[in-house]
Amino acid sequence: MTAQPSAFRHLPQKALTALVYVFLFLPVLMVAAMSFNSSRYSVFPVPGWTAKWYRAAAADELIVESLKISAVLSLCAAVIATVIGSAAAVALVRYRFRFRDAIRAAFVSPLIIPEMILAVTLLMLSASLDLRGGFWTVVAGHVLICLPFVITVMSARLHGFDRSLEEAAMDLGAGEWRTFWHVTFPLSLPGVVGGALLAFTVSFDNFIITFMVAGSDIVTVPVKIYSMIRTEFSPKLHALSTFVVFVTLGILVLYRLVLRGAARW
Amino acid sequence: MANIDVEVAGLTKRFGAFAAVEDVSFSIRRGEFFSLLGPSGCGKTTIMRMIAGFEQPTAGTIRIAGEDMAGRRPFERPTNLVFQHLSLFPHMTVAGNIAFGLQMKKTPRRETEKSVGEMLDLVQLSGFGGRKIPHLSGGQKQRVAIARALINRPAVLLLDEPLGALDLKLREQMQLELKRIQREVGTTFIYVTHDQKEAITMSNQIAVVNNGRIEQIDSAAEIYERPQTPFVANFIGQTNLLKGRLSGVGGGAGVADCGGFRVRVVCGFPARAGENISLSVRPEKIRFAGNLPEGANRIAAEVDDVIFLGSLMHYRLALAGGITLTAEAPKDGSLSLARGDKLEIGWLPEDGSVFADKKTE
């Protein structure tokens, strides 16, 4: 017989966990609550509920434009980072070569280097190359910070890869290319998709690098939110922020689902 | 020569200074069940991987159905392999796994479906085609792996200890299953195993491998009854190994002084007096007083221990000179011995196997 489950067992641990979650999510919930607030001012308790700020945000061309720019920019950055990062992970996991550990460390270093320093360096570099402010310059900056995530996710997937599956395919008559296409690629796909989704959220949420490197015509969502705080504070800001939070959460949920689906293989 | 399917000559594989496989030669007739038997790390898997094309030999040739395999990639060889851990494709169904070989040959869909159906029948998995691999039991996965490897009608099917992961009951069942499948398809099987019982149960021919070399190639019965090296005698079944020195040699027979007692032996090689030998006597060849036939060696012994093994009894016998032997007798009531009993035991000279002590095992 196991001990009877009691609501009071582990009570201190449960209370502490609850506090941590409150600390983590209260600000987000506050923003979400304010975005449905009928008052123009962020007051509490909320006098009434409305969705008008969402309608206003959707009607604001600059906000819609920033969403479009962010989507396209993050998509480009995610795709490029996934291609480069997957190839790099295959090389780092599968092959032995000189300076392999140093190269791995170099790829992962954007996680460790303070982002502000990275951003300033990128700004100086792009200025000296006369590429300052261009769309692809910003994409390049985003690719840089997405690569560590793609490489980490892909490496984990490849480390767990049973090489004898590739041998089995070759034994059954598949050459190198067909072995890759029928076995290696489909079995690494969760890593590729997972890496891409993670890269997209990293790029979509990025503020510092975009702010430093981008010219005045490239206004992504985080940059737009920042400028709204400084110039024309409006509950539209809450609506936009809430929307972004849920897009990011949605992608993370998708990422977990992809990995969980893969675990069954 | 026409019905020789696999011919391996002088096969050698070195990794740096280490020789994993050293000068291995054998030939296998078409339709034979051939086992490579040896302890782990003896080089048997390396031999098999060279036949499959996953390792390149340092020296030697492999011919399959008369064709030299040198330089042929795994996907260009008439061999298929059942992997040790089966290596079924987890993202495909049972039918998808089995069809893979034919799809690589660009076989028309209808023909592929028909062949997959036949294979499912052969391994008794009819109706399982749509199942996912993770939803199968160990024995079912085994059957899928065999069907997948057989669908291309290979000249040779290689099996790399495929039953290792199964429990004893299922393993014995699958051994019979494999024998049946082999009879039905008539393909040459090369079976790699460290389990001597498994090799004896299934094989027409067994090659006993040790330290990268073949110690003996023979039928299971020959290997058991007439081992050619102490290693083979020890590895296949149980045996008593005695050290001795020959004296009074003549006509293929002689007397060996084992230190404490002397026994008559039959030598299968030209022996000289004064030579050091090892003598192997199987436990079931040892007879007890009252049942000792004419011409048997007779030695005084004391029962040291009695071990009950179900239908059999094992007796540990202490002999002069501090030597102990294990004897086996059916538990049929004709013999009842207890610890401390003193009696005469012995064996026929031709029931022992004698090896010259030139090289160590």
Side-chain angles (χ1 to χ4, degrees), chain A residues 64-74 135 217-220:
Chain A
V64 174
E65 182 65 18
S66 75
L67 276 168
K68 277 186 197 159
I69 288 180
S70 266
V72 174
L73 185 91
S74 300
F135 176 79
D217 54 335
I218 301 174
V219 181
T220 63

Side-chain angles (χ1 to χ4, degrees), chain B residues 264-345:
Chain B
R264 274 169 298 117
V265 294
V266 177
C267 299
F269 55 93
R272 294 186 315 275
E275 198 170 343
N276 287 324
I277 54 124
S278 298
L279 170 63
S280 155
V281 185
R282 300 275 184 205
E284 71 273 17
K285 299 291 186 193
I286 294 176
R287 320 279 183 91
F288 298 86
N291 196 22
L292 278 169
E294 195 78 3
N297 291 305
R298 287 165 180 270
I299 305 153
E302 182 180 335
V303 178
D304 193 39
D305 204 356
V306 181
I307 301 144
F308 173 61
L309 292 172
S311 61
L312 292 171
M313 298 297 288
H314 269 190
Y315 299 103
R316 281 179 60 79
L317 305 166
L319 277 54
I323 294 165
T324 53
L325 295 181
T326 302
E328 183 180 293
K331 184 172 172 17
D332 56 5
S334 65
L335 191 72
S336 88
L337 294 174
R339 192 177 140 81
D341 286 356
K342 288 193 171 72
L343 77 167
E344 223 174 25
I345 60 121

Side-chain angles (χ1 to χ4, degrees), chain B residues 36-343:
Chain B
L36 287 164
L37 172 65
S40 51
C42 73
K44 56 190 191 298
T45 296
T46 309
I47 296 173
M48 196 209 58
R49 287 179 62 84
M50 285 192 278
I51 297 173
F54 290 119
E55 303 275 357
Q56 299 309 310
T58 312
T61 56
I62 297 165
R63 302 174 75 82
I64 297 172
E67 280 182 68
D68 191 350
M69 290 293 121
R72 292 241 217 142
R73 310 291 311 276
F75 46 87
E76 298 162 339
R77 297 188 180 214
T79 56
N80 281 124
L81 177 56
V82 178
F83 286 76
Q84 185 165 16
H85 303 294
L86 306 182
S87 302
L88 298 174
F89 304 129
H91 57 303
M92 300 179 194
T93 59
V94 167
N97 268 275
I98 297 175
F100 191 83
L102 289 181
Q103 279 164 1
M104 292 302 111
K105 287 204 287 192
K106 298 204 156 64
T107 310
R109 176 186 286 263
R110 182 157 298 186
E111 213 174 302
T112 303
E113 278 170 9
K114 188 167 162 280
S115 296
V116 169
E118 285 167 10
M119 280 299 149
L120 285 170
D121 285 345
L122 177 72
V123 298
Q124 300 179 341
L125 279 179
S126 315
F128 280 73
R131 293 278 183 101
K132 290 261 165 99
I133 297 302
H135 299 163
L136 300 180
S137 73
Q140 289 167 340
K141 285 182 188 167
Q142 202 81 57
R143 290 159 192 271
V144 175
I146 293 163
R148 184 180 72 170
L150 277 174
I151 200 161
N152 276 356
R153 307 247 160 238
V156 180
L157 183 72
L158 302 156
L159 300 106
D160 185 10
E161 308 207 28
L163 307 185
L166 302 180
D167 60 64
L168 187 65
K169 264 255 160 62
L170 198 53
R171 195 153 71 216
E172 285 171 351
Q173 195 186 324
M174 279 307 293
Q175 287 170 9
L176 299 176
E177 228 1 63
L178 266 177
K179 258 322 254 189
R180 175 188 66 78
I181 290 170
Q182 198 244 349
R183 266 197 312 274
E184 275 180 41
V185 295
T187 305
T188 307
F189 276 34
I190 300 182
Y191 192 91
V192 169
T193 183
H194 65 270
D195 185 332
Q196 43 111 359
K197 272 193 192 147
E198 210 164 88
I200 287 173
T201 312
M202 295 191 284
S203 323
N204 303 111
Q205 293 275 303
I206 300 175
V208 183
V209 188
N210 184 32
N211 287 333
R213 292 172 179 276
I214 290 189
E215 299 252 338
Q216 185 172 356
I217 305 179
D218 257 319
S219 68
E222 279 293 307
I223 281 185
Y224 188 83
E225 295 291 343
R226 270 177 279 284
Q228 276 162 19
T229 66
F231 175 81
V232 175
N234 228 344
F235 195 70
I236 315 294
Q238 254 190 313
T239 197
N240 296 293
L241 272 181
L242 300 169
K243 295 278 176 196
R245 181 187 286 265
L246 280 181
S247 62
V249 182
V255 174
D257 186 345
C258 294
F261 58 90
R262 295 160 152 259
V263 288
R264 274 169 298 117
V265 294
V266 177
C267 299
F269 55 93
R272 294 186 315 275
E275 198 170 343
N276 287 324
I277 54 124
S278 298
L279 170 63
S280 155
V281 185
R282 300 275 184 205
E284 71 273 17
K285 299 291 186 193
I286 294 176
R287 320 279 183 91
F288 298 86
N291 196 22
L292 278 169
E294 195 78 3
N297 291 305
R298 287 165 180 270
I299 305 153
E302 182 180 335
V303 178
D304 193 39
D305 204 356
V306 181
I307 301 144
F308 173 61
L309 292 172
S311 61
L312 292 171
M313 298 297 288
H314 269 190
Y315 299 103
R316 281 179 60 79
L317 305 166
L319 277 54
I323 294 165
T324 53
L325 295 181
T326 302
E328 183 180 293
K331 184 172 172 17
D332 56 5
S334 65
L335 191 72
S336 88
L337 294 174
R339 192 177 140 81
D341 286 356
K342 288 193 171 72
L343 77 167

Side-chain angles (χ1 to χ4, degrees), chain A residues 126-194:
Chain A
S126 59
S128 64
L129 291 175
D130 213 12
L131 292 169
R132 189 169 185 277
F135 176 79
W136 292 105
T137 311
V138 183
V139 170
H142 281 209
V143 167
L144 195 65
I145 52 161
C146 291
L147 273 175
F149 295 95
V150 175
I151 289 177
T152 308
V153 172
M154 265 306 272
S155 296
R157 186 74 193 168
L158 288 169
H159 271 299
F161 194 96
D162 181 1
R163 297 296 296 274
S164 74
L165 291 171
E166 288 169 349
E167 288 191 344
M170 290 182 101
D171 185 65
L172 292 164
E176 271 94 356
W177 168 245
R178 290 212 279 175
T179 298
F180 176 81
W181 185 245
H182 288 286
V183 175
T184 318
F185 180 66
L187 288 176
S188 340
L189 201 56
V192 175
V193 174

Side-chain angles (χ1 to χ4, degrees), chain B residues 345-361:
Chain B
I345 60 121
W347 61 87
L348 288 166
E350 59 266 32
D351 279 347
S353 302
V354 177
F355 317 106
D357 260 4
K358 275 170 199 150
K359 47 189 178 193
T360 51
E361 54 176 87

